Structures are given as structure tokens and as C-alpha cells.
Amino acid sequence: MSAASRAPLRSNRSNRTAVRVRSRAALALGAAAAALLVSACSSGGTSGGGGQTGFITGSDGIATAKEGERADAPELSGVTVDGGQADVADYKGKVVVLNVWGSWCPPCRAEAKNFEKVYQDVKDQGVQFVGINTRDTSTGPARAFEKDYGVTYPSLYDPSGKLLLRFEKGTLNPQAVPSTLVIDREGKVAARTLQALSEEKLRKMLAPYLADGSADSAKPGK
């Protein structure tokens, strides 16, 4: 076989190799997102501190990290469920309540009105609520969810869970749907829970950060 006739064969093999590499990368990303949400739509579950995690989980299922030991929140921005744009970094200086939800998730439906009620009560105290909608294959069901439950704060649309994968492992990262995180005024993750929240528990989780963004005086499990 001549060199000229071998060249197209080498080119075809290279193309097939590139396609396989891209396919493996896509599958790996999907598997990572699925693993992150393996306990998706559960009504409870907690992850404790210890080791190098730097946080403590109370008996109420709320995990907290002391000021000075909190991880930076990752870059979280993009298109919202209603077609707008949002960037969590724009809210630095405020306390941010970050709620991971899906329209398909019964515990998310159970807690939605609680979040909106608390948001209306605290939004004038330097607090911003932001949702991350995940695993909805289109924005239609997510928009219907927001309308049905009167949700007025923005939610980033993250169907494949890419935004959730930006949180550093071993920190207070979201690991289920629903998950709720509190980001302090310095842009650091201060608290997390992996369960649906009643209005009372949401207020309790948020209260230590309203005055100055510090939870050093908070007593987990009290």
C-alpha cells in the first residue's frame, strides 16, 4: 500500500479516536453529576464533619463551618429559569440562601412556600435567595413550579448539574435534591442541610448570619 493510500486511513483513525475521547468525557461528566445527586429527592440525610472537612453537623441536620474555616463559594452564574441572567457573585456583601431544587421533587414542593415566605420577611435585611434548578429537561416545568408556589427570587437553570460540580469536595457542598446552603457576606459557604426545610428550621438556619454574617456563636443541634 502506498503512503498516499495509508494517509486517509490514519486520518480516519485519528477522527474516531477524537470522537471516543469526547464521548468518554461527556459520559464522565454525566456520571459525576449523577453520583452527586445519588440521594436525590430524599427527605433527609446528613453528612458530618471530622477528618479534614472542617465542619460540624448538628442533630438537626444542619452542618456549619466556623468563620475562618469556610470554603469560598464557586462561580455560580448563568441563565435563569425565566430566561434572565443571575450571578451569585453580584450578591457579595449579602447573605445568600442557595436552594437546590427540581420541579419533579416532592420534598422541594413541600418546602417551596416556606422559602418564599421567609425570603419576603428577610430580603430587606441584606439577604438574597437564589435557587438552582436541576434535572428538569426543560424550563417549562420549572417555570410552572415557580408560578404555582409564588417563587419570586431567581433560580439558575442547571439541568445537568454542572454548577453543583463546581463545589469543592470535602466542603459544605450540595449532595442531594433538595439541598440548602447559606453563603456568608464574604462569599463563603457557612452552612448546609440536605433535607427539606420547614419555615421554622429555615429561619433557625439563617438567623445566626443575619446580624453580621458570623455563626461563631451558633450551637449546632440546639
Side-chain angles (χ1 to χ4, degrees):
M1 183 180 291
S2 68
S5 62
R6 287 196 300 270
L9 292 177
R10 287 196 296 270
S11 177
N12 289 338
R13 285 197 296 271
S14 298
N15 290 338
R16 287 196 297 271
T17 300
V19 168
R20 285 197 296 269
V21 169
R22 287 194 294 269
S23 298
R24 290 193 194 103
L27 288 171
L29 178 61
L36 174 66
L37 302 178
V38 67
S39 56
C41 214
S42 61
S43 59
T46 60
S47 176
Q52 300 301 312
T53 56
F55 59 88
I56 300 172
T57 302
S59 59
D60 55 6
I62 298 172
T64 58
K66 292 182 179 180
E67 191 171 6
E69 298 180 5
R70 300 170 187 168
D72 290 329
E75 191 272 326
L76 300 168
S77 64
V79 178
T80 58
V81 164
D82 62 3
Q85 293 282 330
D87 187 342
V88 170
D90 290 342
Y91 304 123
K92 191 169 182 179
K94 293 186 175 185
V95 176
V96 176
V97 176
L98 192 69
N99 178 243
V100 180
W101 63 277
S103 68
W104 43 270
C105 169
C108 301
R109 295 194 289 270
E111 70 178 4
K113 288 187 177 180
N114 302 330
F115 274 73
E116 179 62 26
K117 187 174 191 307
V118 174
Y119 173 59
Q120 292 300 327
D121 288 347
V122 301
K123 64 181 182 179
D124 294 331
Q125 300 178 47
V127 179
Q128 177 64 48
F129 280 38
V130 178
I132 297 182
N133 171 259
T134 191
R135 293 180 63 187
D136 273 312
T137 56
S138 71
T139 57
R143 288 198 303 270
F145 179 102
E146 291 187 333
K147 181 179 179 181
D148 289 345
Y149 294 101
V151 177
T152 60
Y153 51 85
S155 282
L156 292 161
Y157 181 54
D158 185 32
S160 64
K162 290 181 180 178
L163 294 180
L164 305 182
L165 291 173
R166 294 180 181 177
F167 286 84
E168 185 179 349
K169 291 182 179 180
T171 65
L172 293 174
N173 55 329
Q175 296 177 359
V177 180
S179 289
T180 300
L181 285 70
V182 175
I183 300 173
D184 69 21
R185 299 182 194 277
E186 300 300 318
K188 298 179 181 295
V189 183
R192 179 199 66 188
T193 191
L194 306 176
Q195 59 187 314
L197 293 176
S198 65
E199 180 185 337
E200 179 183 11
K201 187 167 283 189
L202 175 57
R203 290 184 188 277
K204 176 183 177 182
M205 183 178 183
L206 179 59
Y209 309 95
L210 291 180
D212 58 7
S214 172
D216 285 349
S217 60
K219 303 260 188 211
K222 294 293 183 181

